[in-house]
Structures are given as structure tokens and as C-alpha cells.
Amino acid sequence: MKIKNEMADWGLRSASYWMTLFIAVGIIIVGVRFILFPRVGAAGFGIPLSNNADLAFGRIKGIRDIFSGLALLPLLFFRMKKATAFVFTAAIIVPVTDCFLVYLNNGPDPSQLVPGITAVFMAITSFLLFMNTQKTIA
């Protein structure tokens, strides 16, 4: 079965594995920060909350971020490189959109650097994930 071969070829010795794990754990930490300290998280994001009614929006972003990280962990644990590559690549839309939204809200601002750099890092990681991915034929 190709899954077993793929598992043997990708894992702890792969840069793309660790890069993906870094993003997954990092976004979980960001999500926890948004849930526990929504004002701090939102200010760091670049769009501060304006009143107490906005706290729920910070927590909504936190849940989204935690889910994004957790969705990758089983794929990494089972060393499913191809599935990880597709899910991770689709997830690039999140930091790209975040960067764009911060720009629309603030204009050019240093707070755009984090989602912008994250998007570039994820694009590089996606490229590495798709490199040498074995083609499976049913």
C-alpha cells in the first residue's frame, strides 16, 4: 500500500514535517491567546477590539486558529504527506486574507508582517510538501 511507503519516507527527518508542525503548534498558541486574552490577541493581530461587545469576535478567531492547527496534527502524526500538502496549501488562504484585512483596516502597517511572513513561509512549506510526493495509482 502506498500509505505505508509514504509513512516510511516522510517524518521527523524532513524539513517540511517540522515546518508544518511549527505552523500547526504556533497557530494553536495564537488561538489560545485570542480565547484567553482577546484584546491582546486582537491588538497583536493589528485590528484592536473597540469595545467589550467585540470580545466574542476575538474568541471566534481563536477557535478558528485552534481548529486550523488541530486539523494538521493527525495528518502529521500519521505521516500523511500528500494529505498534509493539500490541507496545508488550502490553509494559506487564512494568512493571505488576514494580511489583506489588516491592510484594508490600517493601510500599510507593521502588523501586516506576521500574516504576510506566515503566508510566504507556508507557501515555501507547501512547495516542499509537494516535492517528491509519490504519485499513487489506484
Side-chain angles (χ1 to χ4, degrees), residues 2 5-11 13-16 79-82 85-86 124-136:
K2 289 286 184 186
N5 291 340
E6 188 174 318
M7 283 183 70
D9 294 339
W10 185 67
R13 294 184 180 201
S14 171
S16 63
R79 293 186 270 163
M80 300 171 70
K81 184 178 182 183
K82 190 176 274 188
F86 282 106
I124 292 167
T125 303
S126 292
F127 174 77
L128 294 174
L129 285 167
F130 278 110
M131 276 182 46
N132 301 326
T133 300
Q134 297 176 1
K135 292 183 180 180
T136 56

Side-chain angles (χ1 to χ4, degrees), residues 83-118:
T84 301
F86 282 106
V87 171
F88 196 81
T89 301
I92 293 173
I93 193 170
V94 175
V96 167
T97 304
D98 288 350
C99 186
F100 185 65
L101 290 173
V102 172
Y103 176 78
L104 287 176
N105 191 66
N106 300 339
D109 188 80
S111 58
Q112 289 172 258
L113 289 175
V114 173
I117 291 169
T118 301

Side-chain angles (χ1 to χ4, degrees), residues 25-72:
V25 171
I27 200 63
I28 290 169
I29 291 168
V30 168
V32 168
R33 181 177 75 164
F34 262 98
I35 289 174
L36 297 177
F37 310 105
R39 288 191 187 286
V40 174
F45 182 70
I47 304 176
L49 303 177
S50 30
N51 59 52
N52 286 338
D54 293 342
L55 293 176
F57 288 108
R59 292 188 174 110
I60 289 167
K61 180 176 176 357
I63 292 297
R64 177 193 78 163
D65 289 347
I66 291 170
F67 170 78
S68 296
L70 290 176
L72 289 168

